[in-house]
PDB file of all heavy atoms in Angstrom:
ATOM      1  N   TRP V 183      85.646  91.977 122.965  1.00 97.00           N
ATOM      2  CA  TRP V 183      86.263  93.296 122.825  1.00 97.00           C
ATOM      3  C   TRP V 183      87.251  93.245 121.566  1.00 97.00           C
ATOM      4  O   TRP V 183      87.051  94.062 120.617  1.00 97.00           O
ATOM      5  CB  TRP V 183      87.025  93.647 124.087  1.00 97.00           C
ATOM      6  CG  TRP V 183      87.600  94.987 123.993  1.00 97.00           C
ATOM      7  CD1 TRP V 183      88.988  95.375 123.780  1.00 97.00           C
ATOM      8  CD2 TRP V 183      86.971  96.246 124.000  1.00 97.00           C
ATOM      9  NE1 TRP V 183      89.001  96.737 123.716  1.00 97.00           N
ATOM     10  CE2 TRP V 183      87.856  97.341 123.947  1.00 97.00           C
ATOM     11  CE3 TRP V 183      85.585  96.582 124.334  1.00 97.00           C
ATOM     12  CZ2 TRP V 183      87.538  98.676 124.057  1.00 97.00           C
ATOM     13  CZ3 TRP V 183      85.278  97.956 124.372  1.00 97.00           C
ATOM     14  CH2 TRP V 183      86.189  98.891 124.231  1.00 97.00           C
ATOM     15  N   GLY V 184      88.253  92.425 121.675  1.00 98.00           N
ATOM     16  CA  GLY V 184      89.205  92.393 120.562  1.00 98.00           C
ATOM     17  C   GLY V 184      90.574  92.194 121.079  1.00 98.00           C
ATOM     18  O   GLY V 184      90.795  91.769 122.190  1.00 98.00           O
ATOM     19  N   LEU V 185      91.665  92.668 120.357  1.00 98.00           N
ATOM     20  CA  LEU V 185      92.985  92.585 120.786  1.00 98.00           C
ATOM     21  C   LEU V 185      93.350  93.798 121.734  1.00 98.00           C
ATOM     22  O   LEU V 185      93.004  94.907 121.368  1.00 98.00           O
ATOM     23  CB  LEU V 185      94.014  92.666 119.599  1.00 98.00           C
ATOM     24  CG  LEU V 185      94.204  91.260 118.797  1.00 98.00           C
ATOM     25  CD1 LEU V 185      92.943  90.934 117.983  1.00 98.00           C
ATOM     26  CD2 LEU V 185      95.417  91.453 117.956  1.00 98.00           C
ATOM     27  N   GLU V 186      93.952  93.432 122.766  1.00 97.00           N
ATOM     28  CA  GLU V 186      94.378  94.443 123.758  1.00 97.00           C
ATOM     29  C   GLU V 186      95.348  95.381 123.108  1.00 97.00           C
ATOM     30  O   GLU V 186      96.336  95.039 122.470  1.00 97.00           O
ATOM     31  CB  GLU V 186      95.150  93.757 124.904  1.00 97.00           C
ATOM     32  CG  GLU V 186      95.165  94.633 126.196  1.00 97.00           C
ATOM     33  CD  GLU V 186      95.704  93.769 127.362  1.00 97.00           C
ATOM     34  OE1 GLU V 186      96.778  93.560 127.445  1.00 97.00           O
ATOM     35  OE2 GLU V 186      94.878  93.364 128.185  1.00 97.00           O
ATOM     36  N   GLY V 187      94.955  96.643 123.139  1.00 96.00           N
ATOM     37  CA  GLY V 187      95.953  97.712 122.466  1.00 96.00           C
ATOM     38  C   GLY V 187      95.493  98.110 121.094  1.00 96.00           C
ATOM     39  O   GLY V 187      96.176  98.910 120.528  1.00 96.00           O
ATOM     40  N   ASP V 188      94.626  97.380 120.420  1.00 96.00           N
ATOM     41  CA  ASP V 188      94.242  97.649 119.009  1.00 96.00           C
ATOM     42  C   ASP V 188      93.151  98.688 119.032  1.00 96.00           C
ATOM     43  O   ASP V 188      92.070  98.545 119.648  1.00 96.00           O
ATOM     44  CB  ASP V 188      93.844  96.334 118.396  1.00 96.00           C
ATOM     45  CG  ASP V 188      93.531  96.416 116.932  1.00 96.00           C
ATOM     46  OD1 ASP V 188      94.519  97.023 116.183  1.00 96.00           O
ATOM     47  OD2 ASP V 188      92.423  96.158 116.377  1.00 96.00           O
ATOM     48  N   ALA V 189      93.433  99.621 118.106  1.00 94.00           N
ATOM     49  CA  ALA V 189      92.365 100.734 117.971  1.00 94.00           C
ATOM     50  C   ALA V 189      91.012 100.285 117.477  1.00 94.00           C
ATOM     51  O   ALA V 189      89.990 101.067 117.749  1.00 94.00           O
ATOM     52  CB  ALA V 189      92.943 101.797 117.146  1.00 94.00           C
ATOM     53  N   HIS V 190      90.885  99.125 116.840  1.00 91.00           N
ATOM     54  CA  HIS V 190      89.746  98.720 116.247  1.00 91.00           C
ATOM     55  C   HIS V 190      88.843  97.812 117.209  1.00 91.00           C
ATOM     56  O   HIS V 190      87.856  97.357 116.738  1.00 91.00           O
ATOM     57  CB  HIS V 190      89.885  98.154 114.800  1.00 91.00           C
ATOM     58  CG  HIS V 190      90.447  99.175 113.800  1.00 91.00           C
ATOM     59  ND1 HIS V 190      91.823  99.312 113.645  1.00 91.00           N
ATOM     60  CD2 HIS V 190      89.820  99.970 113.027  1.00 91.00           C
ATOM     61  CE1 HIS V 190      91.918 100.201 112.727  1.00 91.00           C
ATOM     62  NE2 HIS V 190      90.832 100.682 112.237  1.00 91.00           N
ATOM     63  N   ALA V 191      89.390  97.576 118.260  1.00 96.00           N
ATOM     64  CA  ALA V 191      88.667  96.616 119.227  1.00 96.00           C
ATOM     65  C   ALA V 191      87.553  97.422 119.776  1.00 96.00           C
ATOM     66  O   ALA V 191      87.444  98.708 119.891  1.00 96.00           O
ATOM     67  CB  ALA V 191      89.601  96.215 120.399  1.00 96.00           C
ATOM     68  N   GLY V 192      86.392  96.683 120.232  1.00 96.00           N
ATOM     69  CA  GLY V 192      85.383  97.328 120.820  1.00 96.00           C
ATOM     70  C   GLY V 192      84.160  96.326 120.878  1.00 96.00           C
ATOM     71  O   GLY V 192      84.239  95.200 120.331  1.00 96.00           O
ATOM     72  N   LYS V 193      83.110  96.901 121.384  1.00 94.00           N
ATOM     73  CA  LYS V 193      81.844  95.998 121.573  1.00 94.00           C
ATOM     74  C   LYS V 193      81.017  96.104 120.178  1.00 94.00           C
ATOM     75  O   LYS V 193      80.026  96.825 120.166  1.00 94.00           O
ATOM     76  CB  LYS V 193      81.039  96.396 122.775  1.00 94.00           C
ATOM     77  CG  LYS V 193      81.621  95.993 124.030  1.00 94.00           C
ATOM     78  CD  LYS V 193      80.696  96.089 125.204  1.00 94.00           C
ATOM     79  CE  LYS V 193      81.201  95.506 126.535  1.00 94.00           C
ATOM     80  NZ  LYS V 193      81.235  94.006 126.464  1.00 94.00           N
ATOM     81  N   TRP V 194      81.607  95.519 119.128  1.00 94.00           N
ATOM     82  CA  TRP V 194      80.834  95.446 117.900  1.00 94.00           C
ATOM     83  C   TRP V 194      81.189  94.108 117.254  1.00 94.00           C
ATOM     84  O   TRP V 194      81.862  93.206 117.780  1.00 94.00           O
ATOM     85  CB  TRP V 194      81.090  96.653 117.081  1.00 94.00           C
ATOM     86  CG  TRP V 194      82.652  96.706 116.640  1.00 94.00           C
ATOM     87  CD1 TRP V 194      83.795  96.328 117.328  1.00 94.00           C
ATOM     88  CD2 TRP V 194      83.048  97.206 115.304  1.00 94.00           C
ATOM     89  NE1 TRP V 194      84.851  96.649 116.525  1.00 94.00           N
ATOM     90  CE2 TRP V 194      84.508  97.203 115.222  1.00 94.00           C
ATOM     91  CE3 TRP V 194      82.422  97.739 114.189  1.00 94.00           C
ATOM     92  CZ2 TRP V 194      85.192  97.543 114.180  1.00 94.00           C
ATOM     93  CZ3 TRP V 194      83.187  98.117 113.099  1.00 94.00           C
ATOM     94  CH2 TRP V 194      84.606  98.062 113.156  1.00 94.00           C
ATOM     95  N   HIS V 195      80.719  93.853 116.051  1.00 92.00           N
ATOM     96  CA  HIS V 195      80.839  92.562 115.391  1.00 92.00           C
ATOM     97  C   HIS V 195      82.157  92.404 114.727  1.00 92.00           C
ATOM     98  O   HIS V 195      82.339  91.437 114.115  1.00 92.00           O
ATOM     99  CB  HIS V 195      79.613  92.391 114.427  1.00 92.00           C
ATOM    100  CG  HIS V 195      79.715  93.171 113.248  1.00 92.00           C
ATOM    101  ND1 HIS V 195      79.486  94.638 113.250  1.00 92.00           N
ATOM    102  CD2 HIS V 195      79.818  93.001 111.866  1.00 92.00           C
ATOM    103  CE1 HIS V 195      79.620  95.087 112.017  1.00 92.00           C
ATOM    104  NE2 HIS V 195      79.861  94.190 111.244  1.00 92.00           N
ATOM    105  N   ARG V 196      82.933  93.470 114.517  1.00 93.00           N
ATOM    106  CA  ARG V 196      84.236  93.337 113.721  1.00 93.00           C
ATOM    107  C   ARG V 196      85.357  93.520 114.788  1.00 93.00           C
ATOM    108  O   ARG V 196      86.176  94.481 114.531  1.00 93.00           O
ATOM    109  CB  ARG V 196      84.182  94.297 112.527  1.00 93.00           C
ATOM    110  CG  ARG V 196      83.410  93.892 111.422  1.00 93.00           C
ATOM    111  CD  ARG V 196      82.983  94.896 110.423  1.00 93.00           C
ATOM    112  NE  ARG V 196      84.132  95.690 110.059  1.00 93.00           N
ATOM    113  CZ  ARG V 196      84.073  96.752 109.201  1.00 93.00           C
ATOM    114  NH1 ARG V 196      82.903  96.886 108.644  1.00 93.00           N
ATOM    115  NH2 ARG V 196      85.063  97.580 108.950  1.00 93.00           N
ATOM    116  N   GLN V 197      85.490  92.618 115.718  1.00 97.00           N
ATOM    117  CA  GLN V 197      86.476  92.893 116.722  1.00 97.00           C
ATOM    118  C   GLN V 197      87.921  92.418 116.359  1.00 97.00           C
ATOM    119  O   GLN V 197      88.908  93.036 116.677  1.00 97.00           O
ATOM    120  CB  GLN V 197      86.100  92.093 118.067  1.00 97.00           C
ATOM    121  CG  GLN V 197      84.932  92.624 118.671  1.00 97.00           C
ATOM    122  CD  GLN V 197      84.212  91.853 119.701  1.00 97.00           C
ATOM    123  OE1 GLN V 197      84.699  90.717 119.982  1.00 97.00           O
ATOM    124  NE2 GLN V 197      83.286  92.379 120.490  1.00 97.00           N
ATOM    125  N   VAL V 198      87.927  91.416 115.533  1.00 97.00           N
ATOM    126  CA  VAL V 198      89.245  90.772 115.120  1.00 97.00           C
ATOM    127  C   VAL V 198      89.055  90.469 113.612  1.00 97.00           C
ATOM    128  O   VAL V 198      88.199  89.746 113.148  1.00 97.00           O
ATOM    129  CB  VAL V 198      89.713  89.504 115.850  1.00 97.00           C
ATOM    130  CG1 VAL V 198      90.937  89.002 115.339  1.00 97.00           C
ATOM    131  CG2 VAL V 198      89.752  89.830 117.351  1.00 97.00           C
ATOM    132  N   SER V 199      90.001  90.852 112.808  1.00 95.00           N
ATOM    133  CA  SER V 199      90.020  90.641 111.339  1.00 95.00           C
ATOM    134  C   SER V 199      91.122  89.567 111.035  1.00 95.00           C
ATOM    135  O   SER V 199      92.185  89.623 111.601  1.00 95.00           O
ATOM    136  CB  SER V 199      90.302  91.833 110.532  1.00 95.00           C
ATOM    137  OG  SER V 199      91.509  92.547 111.007  1.00 95.00           O
ATOM    138  N   LEU V 200      90.786  88.727 110.042  1.00 97.00           N
ATOM    139  CA  LEU V 200      91.689  87.580 109.726  1.00 97.00           C
ATOM    140  C   LEU V 200      91.792  87.539 108.152  1.00 97.00           C
ATOM    141  O   LEU V 200      90.901  87.769 107.299  1.00 97.00           O
ATOM    142  CB  LEU V 200      91.107  86.301 110.182  1.00 97.00           C
ATOM    143  CG  LEU V 200      90.928  86.047 111.680  1.00 97.00           C
ATOM    144  CD1 LEU V 200      89.596  86.511 112.111  1.00 97.00           C
ATOM    145  CD2 LEU V 200      91.273  84.642 112.055  1.00 97.00           C
ATOM    146  N   LEU V 201      92.972  87.133 107.756  1.00 95.00           N
ATOM    147  CA  LEU V 201      93.436  86.964 106.360  1.00 95.00           C
ATOM    148  C   LEU V 201      94.119  85.769 106.111  1.00 95.00           C
ATOM    149  O   LEU V 201      95.124  85.594 106.964  1.00 95.00           O
ATOM    150  CB  LEU V 201      94.009  88.194 105.923  1.00 95.00           C
ATOM    151  CG  LEU V 201      94.170  88.523 104.343  1.00 95.00           C
ATOM    152  CD1 LEU V 201      92.713  88.471 103.564  1.00 95.00           C
ATOM    153  CD2 LEU V 201      94.823  89.901 104.026  1.00 95.00           C
ATOM    154  N   SER V 202      93.957  85.069 105.094  1.00 95.00           N
ATOM    155  CA  SER V 202      94.784  83.781 104.750  1.00 95.00           C
ATOM    156  C   SER V 202      96.039  84.155 104.293  1.00 95.00           C
ATOM    157  O   SER V 202      96.252  84.983 103.419  1.00 95.00           O
ATOM    158  CB  SER V 202      94.083  82.916 103.794  1.00 95.00           C
ATOM    159  OG  SER V 202      92.772  82.514 104.227  1.00 95.00           O
ATOM    160  N   GLY V 203      97.094  83.512 104.835  1.00 95.00           N
ATOM    161  CA  GLY V 203      98.504  83.831 104.423  1.00 95.00           C
ATOM    162  C   GLY V 203      98.773  83.564 102.983  1.00 95.00           C
ATOM    163  O   GLY V 203      99.522  84.098 102.246  1.00 95.00           O
ATOM    164  N   GLU V 204      98.028  82.512 102.436  1.00 95.00           N
ATOM    165  CA  GLU V 204      98.032  82.102 101.017  1.00 95.00           C
ATOM    166  C   GLU V 204      97.568  83.218 100.175  1.00 95.00           C
ATOM    167  O   GLU V 204      98.163  83.453  99.050  1.00 95.00           O
ATOM    168  CB  GLU V 204      97.410  80.835 100.761  1.00 95.00           C
ATOM    169  CG  GLU V 204      98.025  79.562 101.404  1.00 95.00           C
ATOM    170  CD  GLU V 204      97.671  79.309 102.784  1.00 95.00           C
ATOM    171  OE1 GLU V 204      97.018  80.227 103.357  1.00 95.00           O
ATOM    172  OE2 GLU V 204      98.091  78.416 103.324  1.00 95.00           O
ATOM    173  N   LYS V 205      96.622  83.958 100.456  1.00 93.00           N
ATOM    174  CA  LYS V 205      95.969  85.064  99.795  1.00 93.00           C
ATOM    175  C   LYS V 205      96.969  86.209  99.706  1.00 93.00           C
ATOM    176  O   LYS V 205      97.123  86.817  98.626  1.00 93.00           O
ATOM    177  CB  LYS V 205      94.684  85.550 100.367  1.00 93.00           C
ATOM    178  CG  LYS V 205      93.604  84.349 100.430  1.00 93.00           C
ATOM    179  CD  LYS V 205      93.309  83.701  99.062  1.00 93.00           C
ATOM    180  CE  LYS V 205      92.230  82.644  99.217  1.00 93.00           C
ATOM    181  NZ  LYS V 205      91.952  82.075  97.929  1.00 93.00           N
ATOM    182  N   ILE V 206      97.727  86.416 100.804  1.00 92.00           N
ATOM    183  CA  ILE V 206      98.701  87.488 100.804  1.00 92.00           C
ATOM    184  C   ILE V 206      99.871  87.093  99.843  1.00 92.00           C
ATOM    185  O   ILE V 206     100.371  88.088  99.127  1.00 92.00           O
ATOM    186  CB  ILE V 206      99.186  87.849 102.217  1.00 92.00           C
ATOM    187  CG1 ILE V 206      97.947  88.269 103.042  1.00 92.00           C
ATOM    188  CG2 ILE V 206     100.255  88.866 102.233  1.00 92.00           C
ATOM    189  CD1 ILE V 206      98.277  88.478 104.548  1.00 92.00           C
ATOM    190  N   ASP V 207     100.323  85.894  99.937  1.00 92.00           N
ATOM    191  CA  ASP V 207     101.453  85.385  99.077  1.00 92.00           C
ATOM    192  C   ASP V 207     101.068  85.497  97.636  1.00 92.00           C
ATOM    193  O   ASP V 207     101.901  85.964  96.845  1.00 92.00           O
ATOM    194  CB  ASP V 207     101.782  83.988  99.493  1.00 92.00           C
ATOM    195  CG  ASP V 207     102.485  83.868 100.869  1.00 92.00           C
ATOM    196  OD1 ASP V 207     102.954  84.925 101.427  1.00 92.00           O
ATOM    197  OD2 ASP V 207     102.489  82.755 101.419  1.00 92.00           O
ATOM    198  N   ALA V 208      99.941  85.228  97.243  1.00 91.00           N
ATOM    199  CA  ALA V 208      99.477  85.251  95.841  1.00 91.00           C
ATOM    200  C   ALA V 208      99.501  86.741  95.463  1.00 91.00           C
ATOM    201  O   ALA V 208      99.805  87.021  94.341  1.00 91.00           O
ATOM    202  CB  ALA V 208      98.113  84.716  95.677  1.00 91.00           C
ATOM    203  N   PHE V 209      99.084  87.595  96.312  1.00 85.00           N
ATOM    204  CA  PHE V 209      99.112  89.069  96.078  1.00 85.00           C
ATOM    205  C   PHE V 209     100.451  89.662  95.869  1.00 85.00           C
ATOM    206  O   PHE V 209     100.725  90.403  94.960  1.00 85.00           O
ATOM    207  CB  PHE V 209      98.278  89.769  97.094  1.00 85.00           C
ATOM    208  CG  PHE V 209      97.882  91.212  96.615  1.00 85.00           C
ATOM    209  CD1 PHE V 209      96.855  91.336  95.718  1.00 85.00           C
ATOM    210  CD2 PHE V 209      98.490  92.285  97.381  1.00 85.00           C
ATOM    211  CE1 PHE V 209      96.491  92.692  95.434  1.00 85.00           C
ATOM    212  CE2 PHE V 209      98.038  93.648  97.000  1.00 85.00           C
ATOM    213  CZ  PHE V 209      97.117  93.774  96.040  1.00 85.00           C
ATOM    214  N   ARG V 210     101.349  89.105  96.636  1.00 88.00           N
ATOM    215  CA  ARG V 210     102.741  89.559  96.598  1.00 88.00           C
ATOM    216  C   ARG V 210     103.322  89.043  95.332  1.00 88.00           C
ATOM    217  O   ARG V 210     104.257  89.696  94.659  1.00 88.00           O
ATOM    218  CB  ARG V 210     103.549  89.073  97.873  1.00 88.00           C
ATOM    219  CG  ARG V 210     103.243  89.681  99.187  1.00 88.00           C
ATOM    220  CD  ARG V 210     103.834  89.052 100.245  1.00 88.00           C
ATOM    221  NE  ARG V 210     103.636  89.906 101.564  1.00 88.00           N
ATOM    222  CZ  ARG V 210     103.734  89.085 102.781  1.00 88.00           C
ATOM    223  NH1 ARG V 210     103.873  87.813 102.854  1.00 88.00           N
ATOM    224  NH2 ARG V 210     103.498  89.959 103.864  1.00 88.00           N
ATOM    225  N   ALA V 211     102.934  87.817  94.895  1.00 89.00           N
ATOM    226  CA  ALA V 211     103.472  87.246  93.691  1.00 89.00           C
ATOM    227  C   ALA V 211     103.197  88.249  92.521  1.00 89.00           C
ATOM    228  O   ALA V 211     103.878  88.045  91.456  1.00 89.00           O
ATOM    229  CB  ALA V 211     102.939  85.881  93.432  1.00 89.00           C
ATOM    230  N   LYS V 212     102.123  88.951  92.544  1.00 83.00           N
ATOM    231  CA  LYS V 212     101.717  89.904  91.420  1.00 83.00           C
ATOM    232  C   LYS V 212     102.702  91.160  91.429  1.00 83.00           C
ATOM    233  O   LYS V 212     102.564  92.034  90.564  1.00 83.00           O
ATOM    234  CB  LYS V 212     100.375  90.389  91.517  1.00 83.00           C
ATOM    235  CG  LYS V 212      99.361  89.175  91.410  1.00 83.00           C
ATOM    236  CD  LYS V 212      97.921  89.633  91.491  1.00 83.00           C
ATOM    237  CE  LYS V 212      97.001  88.582  91.349  1.00 83.00           C
ATOM    238  NZ  LYS V 212      95.489  89.018  91.535  1.00 83.00           N
ATOM    239  N   GLY V 213     103.605  91.254  92.511  1.00 79.00           N
ATOM    240  CA  GLY V 213     104.478  92.367  92.496  1.00 79.00           C
ATOM    241  C   GLY V 213     104.181  93.422  93.566  1.00 79.00           C
ATOM    242  O   GLY V 213     104.923  94.325  93.808  1.00 79.00           O
ATOM    243  N   ALA V 214     103.251  93.125  94.393  1.00 73.00           N
ATOM    244  CA  ALA V 214     102.838  93.992  95.571  1.00 73.00           C
ATOM    245  C   ALA V 214     103.845  93.817  96.719  1.00 73.00           C
ATOM    246  O   ALA V 214     104.135  92.709  97.132  1.00 73.00           O
ATOM    247  CB  ALA V 214     101.453  93.651  95.984  1.00 73.00           C
ATOM    248  N   GLU V 215     104.381  94.982  97.251  1.00 79.00           N
ATOM    249  CA  GLU V 215     105.285  94.912  98.401  1.00 79.00           C
ATOM    250  C   GLU V 215     104.258  95.170  99.537  1.00 79.00           C
ATOM    251  O   GLU V 215     104.187  96.416  99.851  1.00 79.00           O
ATOM    252  CB  GLU V 215     106.354  95.829  98.154  1.00 79.00           C
ATOM    253  CG  GLU V 215     107.303  95.479  97.059  1.00 79.00           C
ATOM    254  CD  GLU V 215     108.481  96.362  96.888  1.00 79.00           C
ATOM    255  OE1 GLU V 215     108.686  97.365  97.762  1.00 79.00           O
ATOM    256  OE2 GLU V 215     109.276  96.261  95.929  1.00 79.00           O
ATOM    257  N   VAL V 216     103.843  94.305 100.296  1.00 85.00           N
ATOM    258  CA  VAL V 216     102.958  94.499 101.400  1.00 85.00           C
ATOM    259  C   VAL V 216     103.495  93.732 102.623  1.00 85.00           C
ATOM    260  O   VAL V 216     103.810  92.611 102.628  1.00 85.00           O
ATOM    261  CB  VAL V 216     101.456  94.210 101.112  1.00 85.00           C
ATOM    262  CG1 VAL V 216     100.902  95.057 100.142  1.00 85.00           C
ATOM    263  CG2 VAL V 216     101.492  92.683 100.761  1.00 85.00           C
ATOM    264  N   GLU V 217     103.467  94.427 103.787  1.00 89.00           N
ATOM    265  CA  GLU V 217     103.906  93.869 105.001  1.00 89.00           C
ATOM    266  C   GLU V 217     102.638  93.215 105.745  1.00 89.00           C
ATOM    267  O   GLU V 217     101.549  93.656 105.356  1.00 89.00           O
ATOM    268  CB  GLU V 217     104.544  94.893 105.969  1.00 89.00           C
ATOM    269  CG  GLU V 217     105.825  95.517 105.407  1.00 89.00           C
ATOM    270  CD  GLU V 217     106.330  96.558 106.337  1.00 89.00           C
ATOM    271  OE1 GLU V 217     105.649  96.903 107.266  1.00 89.00           O
ATOM    272  OE2 GLU V 217     107.498  97.094 106.016  1.00 89.00           O
ATOM    273  N   ASP V 218     102.930  92.321 106.632  1.00 92.00           N
ATOM    274  CA  ASP V 218     101.703  91.709 107.383  1.00 92.00           C
ATOM    275  C   ASP V 218     101.081  92.988 108.175  1.00 92.00           C
ATOM    276  O   ASP V 218     101.700  93.844 108.715  1.00 92.00           O
ATOM    277  CB  ASP V 218     102.370  90.827 108.461  1.00 92.00           C
ATOM    278  CG  ASP V 218     102.835  89.624 107.771  1.00 92.00           C
ATOM    279  OD1 ASP V 218     102.379  89.158 106.840  1.00 92.00           O
ATOM    280  OD2 ASP V 218     103.755  89.052 108.366  1.00 92.00           O
ATOM    281  N   GLY V 219      99.773  93.048 108.056  1.00 89.00           N
ATOM    282  CA  GLY V 219      98.991  94.098 108.752  1.00 89.00           C
ATOM    283  C   GLY V 219      98.599  95.093 107.618  1.00 89.00           C
ATOM    284  O   GLY V 219      97.788  96.076 108.053  1.00 89.00           O
ATOM    285  N   ALA V 220      99.161  95.099 106.501  1.00 85.00           N
ATOM    286  CA  ALA V 220      98.962  96.185 105.537  1.00 85.00           C
ATOM    287  C   ALA V 220      97.539  96.311 105.125  1.00 85.00           C
ATOM    288  O   ALA V 220      97.015  97.374 104.742  1.00 85.00           O
ATOM    289  CB  ALA V 220      99.845  96.000 104.289  1.00 85.00           C
ATOM    290  N   PHE V 221      96.687  95.159 105.163  1.00 86.00           N
ATOM    291  CA  PHE V 221      95.414  95.149 104.725  1.00 86.00           C
ATOM    292  C   PHE V 221      94.383  95.420 105.945  1.00 86.00           C
ATOM    293  O   PHE V 221      93.262  95.449 105.776  1.00 86.00           O
ATOM    294  CB  PHE V 221      94.918  93.847 104.194  1.00 86.00           C
ATOM    295  CG  PHE V 221      95.727  93.538 102.880  1.00 86.00           C
ATOM    296  CD1 PHE V 221      96.833  92.681 102.964  1.00 86.00           C
ATOM    297  CD2 PHE V 221      95.430  94.034 101.671  1.00 86.00           C
ATOM    298  CE1 PHE V 221      97.540  92.408 101.748  1.00 86.00           C
ATOM    299  CE2 PHE V 221      96.034  93.761 100.461  1.00 86.00           C
ATOM    300  CZ  PHE V 221      97.280  92.920 100.598  1.00 86.00           C
ATOM    301  N   GLY V 222      94.992  95.694 107.045  1.00 86.00           N
ATOM    302  CA  GLY V 222      94.128  95.832 108.213  1.00 86.00           C
ATOM    303  C   GLY V 222      93.838  94.705 109.002  1.00 86.00           C
ATOM    304  O   GLY V 222      92.989  94.755 109.898  1.00 86.00           O
ATOM    305  N   GLU V 223      94.541  93.663 108.667  1.00 92.00           N
ATOM    306  CA  GLU V 223      94.161  92.335 109.253  1.00 92.00           C
ATOM    307  C   GLU V 223      94.890  92.218 110.708  1.00 92.00           C
ATOM    308  O   GLU V 223      96.125  92.653 110.800  1.00 92.00           O
ATOM    309  CB  GLU V 223      94.415  91.189 108.385  1.00 92.00           C
ATOM    310  CG  GLU V 223      96.042  90.888 108.250  1.00 92.00           C
ATOM    311  CD  GLU V 223      96.732  91.838 107.220  1.00 92.00           C
ATOM    312  OE1 GLU V 223      96.236  92.666 106.844  1.00 92.00           O
ATOM    313  OE2 GLU V 223      97.933  91.340 106.886  1.00 92.00           O
TER     314      GLU V 223
END
């Protein structure tokens, strides 16, 4: 299913999304102000 309470949970192949913390940090280093979850992860 996915995460309890998450709108994107369901009986499909994209139940939980993941992103590497290092990739977010590298993106922030370019000047982006993004919070955790901003990419839909």
Side-chain angles (χ1 to χ4, degrees):
W183 185 257
L185 279 73
E186 198 171 79
D188 185 53
H190 295 88
K193 285 189 173 294
W194 66 322
H195 69 292
R196 285 165 41 182
Q197 295 170 351
V198 180
S199 54
L200 299 90
L201 195 55
S202 299
E204 290 84 353
K205 303 300 181 182
I206 298 176
D207 289 342
F209 195 69
R210 286 171 176 154
K212 296 178 180 180
E215 296 179 2
V216 291
E217 299 177 353
D218 292 328
F221 297 98
E223 74 278 12

